[in-house]
Amino acid sequence: MSTWEPVIGLEIHVQLKTRTKMFCRCRVGFGAEENSQTCPVCLGFPGALPVPNRTAIEWVVKLGLALGCEIAERAVFARKNYFYPDLSKGYQISQYDLPSCVNGNMIVSLAEGQHEIGIVRAHLEEDAAKNVHVGGRTGRIGGAEYTLVDYNRGGTPLVEIVTAPDLHSAEEAKRFLQLLRQTIVELGISDAEMEKGTLRVDANVSVRPAGSEVLRTRSEIKNMNSFTHIARGIDAEVARQIEVWESGGEVEQHTYDFDVGSGALTARRTKEEADDYRYFPEPDLAPVEPPAELVDRLRFELPELPAARIARVMKKLDHDRALVLVTGGLDRLWEATVAAGADGVAASNVIANQLVASGARPGAVDPTELAKLVDARERIPRATFAEALGKIGDHGFSAEPYLAMESVSDTSELEPIVDAVIAANSAQVEQYRGGKEGLLGFFVGQVMKETKGRADPRVVNELVRARLAP
Ligand code: ADP
Ligand code: MG
Ligand code: ZN
């Protein structure tokens, strides 16, 4: 049996969080009363004239620069003609053959090394309104009794990002999306939340014999609402296609909805895929010609991007830890703490778990003091450690007084406490000896409580275990 290589290209839509819509002054927003944020332009009344949103144009350039794209000196809006109730104008305004950004890339860090994913284009368009299907099972159109249309979303600035078919596993697609999302969030141009629909992803999937360079027929999967679901949808489609090829069949180009509950891929009616949009340049809008000075300024203002930071953190940590630090805005503190002498993994665990839980603001933490605490975390009492982390964001915090607190590991001091706890909990002792070994933690917890968290938990563990042995 030959082995198969998955080939995946993504089409991603991102709603920009500008104050107003793409071509009118209506507010962009989520959760306002239905059809309250509309006007003749975004409702498509005859004769209404669109005026482009300057901020949206700047933001797509900003995103394009972050994705290493060439920025078009001249981009053109076109009309994409089709009829559907969510598009009252009868056409969607979208950049087509001359998009704002082309030919970019983003580097995804994998355990095996770095992988460059091509960005074919990123262009500006307007979102359609929202159809709300009432009745029926899942809020989808199938089986619904009727459909309502909320035009508030119509005309919201949308960026479409198209990747090259450079992704080769569901896991890689997921990582790419995590990175892209973080980049978008850090640029401040969108909250990019799949649950709210401000980030939407369609996956194009094909498979080919490993080693082959030829692209085979792809299918497209839509309607997935989290990165995990996307990865599962891709895996399901890859498995389906391999089976088709191996049983002597042929994969056909088709669009599927992925149902997470059942894991099923349901084909959409081909009618919805008709590709005859009769594009032509929008006569009511001038081409987008961002001045070179603007592009230069935006390029200069770009912050250091998550892809570069994840790659750097991954020199010392695995991807999952690196991602948690970078997406949590914790990587700079982690780096400084490691530079101050802390162990990388230990610092990452302390920062990503305990420090965040303690509510300290990462920016307020002195990495030198944090490094001292991380270093001492096994030596000082748990309660002391937790107390120190709770105060570490305070102005002028010093770790010294906490470091002086050694935890109690002296068995002669701990034994009487262990004995007292055992004597006071005879019912649990019986259960433990009867095989309920999970109760060990209960006894250890009691001793820690008696010592106000100062006992060394490893020593307590050993003592309790020895004392409870039948
Ligand atoms: P269309 O113009 O029909 O939308 P594109 O060439 O723009 O097609 O490709 C759309 C998306 O599909 C892109 O993300 C691209 O990378 C991906 N893609 C194209 N061909 C394949 C293939 N054979 N296998 C997987 N993905 C593909
Ligand atoms: Mg396309
Ligand atoms: Zn409007």
Side-chain angles (χ1 to χ4, degrees), residues 27-319:
R27 297 296 291 249
V28 163
F30 188 78
E33 191 199 337
E34 293 82 357
N35 293 308
S36 64
Q37 298 173 329
T38 57
C39 74
V41 174
C42 56
L43 288 174
F45 287 9
L49 287 175
V51 177
N53 182 325
R54 180 191 300 269
T55 307
I57 288 175
E58 278 198 25
W59 286 2
V60 75
V61 170
K62 213 161 140 173
L63 177 61
L65 291 169
L67 298 177
C69 292
E70 296 157 26
I71 306 302
E73 286 172 19
R74 183 167 173 277
V76 172
F77 285 111
R79 288 189 184 180
K80 177 180 182 178
N81 299 280
Y82 67 95
F83 169 78
Y84 208 64
D86 64 6
L87 190 78
S88 49
K89 285 209 292 283
Y91 58 86
Q92 177 195 32
I93 303 178
S94 170
Q95 294 175 341
Y96 179 52
D97 49 355
L98 293 171
S100 278
C101 318
V102 293
N103 264 338
N105 67 75
M106 198 162 72
I107 310 280
V108 175
S109 294
L110 304 167
E112 315 85 79
Q114 308 216 311
H115 189 190
E116 184 177 320
I117 309 304
I119 305 291
V120 178
R121 59 190 279 149
H123 74 243
L124 256 183
E125 56 188 42
E126 57 177 341
D127 207 350
K130 194 170 173 52
N131 286 337
V132 183
H133 305 297
V134 183
R137 237 180 353 105
T138 52
R140 297 229 168 127
I141 190 165
E145 285 163 37
Y146 57 91
T147 297
L148 298 169
V149 189
D150 178 5
Y151 286 98
N152 285 354
R153 196 180 75 177
T156 300
L158 206 58
V159 175
E160 178 175 335
I161 302 158
V162 181
T163 79
D166 287 345
L167 296 152
H168 295 295
S169 69
E171 177 63 21
E172 195 183 6
K174 185 173 164 185
R175 286 194 183 186
F176 171 86
L177 287 169
Q178 288 169 325
L179 199 54
L180 177 66
R181 172 173 192 276
Q182 186 62 19
T183 304
I184 290 165
V185 169
E186 288 188 18
L187 290 176
I189 62 177
S190 172
D191 294 330
E193 292 183 89
M194 292 201 84
E195 320 80 72
K196 288 193 180 165
T198 52
L199 176 70
R200 314 198 276 269
V201 181
D202 298 335
N204 298 273
V205 178
S206 65
V207 298
R208 63 186 174 195
S212 160
E213 291 296 313
V214 182
L215 289 175
R216 293 203 174 186
T217 305
R218 69 181 148 107
S219 59
E220 191 169 356
I221 14 180
K222 290 177 180 283
N223 262 323
M224 297 162 293
N225 54 12
S226 74
F227 292 164
T228 305
H229 293 175
I230 291 167
R232 282 175 53 195
I234 291 172
D235 279 335
E237 178 57 12
V238 165
R240 191 191 67 82
Q241 289 187 16
I242 292 175
E243 199 171 309
V244 170
W245 290 121
E246 292 199 336
S247 61
E250 189 142 341
V251 169
E252 285 172 39
Q253 183 152 355
H254 217 92
T255 304
Y256 295 92
D257 279 326
F258 177 64
D259 183 70
V260 196
S262 63
L265 293 154
T266 18
R268 287 195 172 194
R269 287 174 304 149
T270 39
K271 220 172 104 202
E272 289 171 35
E273 297 166 36
D275 235 19
D276 187 6
Y277 291 125
R278 221 167 39 87
Y279 281 98
F280 64 87
E282 165 62 65
D284 292 335
L285 287 167
V288 180
E289 299 177 327
E293 304 81 67
L294 171 69
V295 177
D296 287 345
R297 174 171 68 77
L298 293 173
R299 195 192 310 273
F300 180 75
E301 285 173 2
L302 275 189
E304 194 196 5
L305 296 165
R309 281 155 38 218
I310 285 192
R312 211 166 51 222
V313 176
M314 278 185 71
K315 288 184 183 148
K316 293 211 176 91
L317 296 179
D318 58 54
H319 175 267

Side-chain angles (χ1 to χ4, degrees), residues 387-435:
E387 192 189 330
L389 278 185
K391 300 227 171 86
I392 198 164
D394 295 356
H395 184 70
F397 172 87
S398 163
E400 294 309 333
Y402 300 95
L403 302 183
M405 294 275 294
E406 293 282 337
S407 57
V408 181
S409 55
D410 180 353
T411 47
S412 65
E413 193 176 326
L414 293 173
E415 266 165 359
I417 303 172
V418 170
D419 287 343
V421 165
I422 287 177
N425 294 283
S426 50
Q428 283 87 345
V429 172
E430 213 167 293
Q431 290 172 15
Y432 177 88
R433 291 194 172 134

